[in-house]
Amino acid sequence: MTLLNPDADEHSAELARARRRRNRALLTLFGGIVAALVLFEGFFVLRDSQAPKLVVALFAMIWGGGGMAILYLVANQLVEFTSSQWQRRLTPIVFVFPAIAFVVYFLALPAVRTFIASLFDRDGTNFVGLANYITVFTEPFMLVTFRNNVLWIVFGASFTIVFGLLVAALADRSKFENLAKAIIFMPMAISLVGAGVIWKFIYAVRDPADVQIGLLNAIVVALGGEPQAWIAMLQPWNNLFLIVIVVWMQTGYAMVLFSAAIKSVPTDIIEAARVDGAGEFKIFFSIIIPSIMGTVVTVSATVIIFTLKIFDVVLVMTGGQYGTDVIATQFYNQYFVNRNFGLGSAIAIILLLTVVPVMVYNLRQFNKREAL
């Protein structure tokens, strides 16, 4: 009769489970490495493929999306093989790592390469240090560019926010609220290039002896005036005629967010203020505006970033002529038209640096609201 040792059997079973767990972890890791290599090589295969573009695009979406899903599942499985303590530490990284990897590869690395390029001359062969940055802040054409961007921020962002807030407040009191909001929001469905083409017809000018096909000049002539080249004359105020286009498009975006925020203000507070004798203006500025200040900050930051990066409208309407260049169009002209890679890279870095503080401020405000 054989005597059984329960402790030895339990130890052997534990060792067997540990071996199986280790083998599964190694197998999962191997599968993940193979999947990553296949996914990486797949991009080169797709890049060199002679198949129709539509087929390549569809296959790339399936390939990329499926590949990333497999990598995520593999990473998640590997984390589950660790102890519970390490699972708590590593699980957030598994979720965040793909986004960080994309940001590093598609934003951080190009930014570093652009900064390095900005330290070289126009063809990238000779190191010139900060000479391109000195050019950016001293040349008259760049000072005009910065002035125009200030105009875009002051007038474009301000009017967008004010009109968006005004329309949101008034539309909520109208029985035609949905129709009014739909009409105001409709320009958001148009691309910036399409909007530029539309407004080019509005600002079109012909010889005074000819019939004016531009809407604005047709009205001016009908009232007895002379046709004007609105986007070419009266510099720098011709920039305002371009800014009107962005205000026309972005007001709908601001209105939607402000309207949702205004509707979230508790009605009992507003009613209590009315009972206490407060007027509509006082209610609006003393109750509604402070209640939706978080939305106002977010919308303002978004619109300011948008106006800082404005490019399409200026390029379509004037190509940067007549004193309408902004930072983005100046970068395009220097880098791709004049082939001055050093100066173009320096302008791109300046554009990045002007956007970052607004983004940081927006994120800090968002974190403060999350903490409340």
Side-chain angles (χ1 to χ4, degrees):
M1 182 177 181
T2 304
L3 295 177
L4 298 177
N5 186 340
D7 293 337
D9 292 343
E10 181 64 25
H11 181 67
S12 299
E14 183 64 29
L15 289 176
R17 285 196 294 271
R19 281 197 298 271
R20 288 196 295 271
R21 188 180 181 86
R22 181 192 61 195
N23 292 337
R24 287 201 303 271
L26 291 174
L27 186 62
T28 303
L29 179 61
F30 177 75
I33 294 173
V34 171
L37 291 175
V38 172
L39 182 64
F40 183 74
E41 291 295 329
F43 286 114
F44 294 101
V45 173
L46 290 172
R47 185 191 63 183
D48 301 331
S49 174
Q50 300 299 320
K53 297 296 183 185
L54 181 61
V55 175
V56 173
L58 292 174
F59 190 74
M61 288 189 288
I62 297 172
W63 183 278
M68 292 305 297
I70 291 174
L71 290 179
Y72 166 73
L73 292 174
V74 168
N76 189 55
Q77 188 66 38
L78 287 174
V79 170
E80 291 183 353
F81 283 126
T82 62
S83 64
S84 58
Q85 183 180 4
W86 277 102
Q87 285 184 25
R88 286 195 298 272
R89 294 176 180 174
L90 295 177
T91 299
I93 298 176
V94 171
F95 281 94
V96 174
F97 179 75
I100 294 177
F102 273 99
V103 170
V104 170
Y105 188 79
F106 291 108
L107 181 61
L109 289 181
V112 172
R113 293 184 61 182
T114 303
F115 174 71
I116 295 173
S118 70
L119 302 177
F120 286 80
D121 61 359
R122 64 181 302 120
D123 55 3
T125 54
N126 298 313
F127 182 78
V128 296
L130 299 177
N132 289 318
Y133 291 95
I134 295 174
T135 301
V136 167
F137 289 107
T138 55
E139 287 295 327
F141 69 91
M142 283 305 306
L143 299 181
V144 169
T145 299
F146 289 135
R147 178 205 64 192
N148 292 340
N149 267 94
V150 172
L151 289 176
W152 276 90
I153 293 174
V154 172
F155 292 102
S158 301
F159 284 136
T160 298
I161 295 164
V162 170
F163 288 151
L165 196 56
L166 186 64
V167 173
L170 295 179
D172 287 342
R173 299 164 184 264
S174 171
K175 61 181 180 180
F176 302 108
E177 175 186 353
N178 293 334
L179 178 62
K181 288 182 177 178
I183 293 173
I184 299 295
F185 190 76
M186 199 174 296
M188 279 291 293
I190 304 172
S191 70
L192 287 169
V193 174
V197 173
I198 292 172
W199 281 83
K200 237 183 173 180
F201 283 112
I202 294 177
Y203 293 145
V205 58
R206 283 188 171 182
D207 190 87
D210 298 333
V211 176
Q212 298 298 319
I213 62 170
L215 176 63
L216 191 55
N217 275 319
I219 295 173
V220 170
V221 172
L223 296 175
E226 291 290 325
Q228 305 292 332
W230 303 104
I231 57 177
M233 58 178 292
L234 297 175
Q235 300 175 19
W237 305 114
N238 56 341
N239 285 279
L240 297 180
F241 292 102
L242 305 183
I243 294 172
V244 167
I245 302 172
V246 169
V247 174
W248 174 66
M249 296 187 69
Q250 292 293 308
T251 296
Y253 161 76
M255 174 203 67
V256 169
L257 297 181
F258 287 145
S259 178
I262 290 174
K263 287 181 182 297
S264 67
V265 178
T267 55
D268 54 345
I269 299 177
I270 297 175
E271 292 300 328
R274 286 182 180 140
V275 170
D276 290 340
E280 293 302 318
F281 279 99
K282 189 169 184 178
I283 291 174
F284 184 75
F285 288 105
S286 301
I287 297 178
I288 295 179
I289 292 295
S291 300
I292 66 170
M293 187 51 69
T295 304
V296 173
V297 171
T298 302
V299 174
S300 302
T302 306
V303 174
I304 289 173
I305 292 173
F306 181 82
T307 52
L308 276 171
K309 298 188 301 179
I310 194 69
F311 172 77
D312 315 59
V313 169
V314 178
L315 193 69
V316 170
M317 297 293 289
T318 65
Q321 300 181 80
Y322 317 120
T324 59
D325 248 330
V326 290
I327 296 178
T329 57
Q330 194 62 256
F331 156 72
Y332 175 82
N333 288 329
Q334 293 297 334
Y335 199 95
F336 295 103
V337 178
N338 298 336
R339 310 293 290 174
N340 190 340
F341 302 125
L343 182 58
S345 299
I347 296 172
I349 292 296
I350 296 300
L351 177 60
L352 176 65
L353 294 178
T354 54
V355 171
V356 167
V358 183
M359 295 177 63
V360 171
Y361 176 77
N362 195 23
L363 290 175
R364 292 185 66 178
Q365 292 299 317
F366 180 77
N367 290 334
K368 286 181 180 177
R369 292 196 299 274
E370 286 289 310
L372 294 176

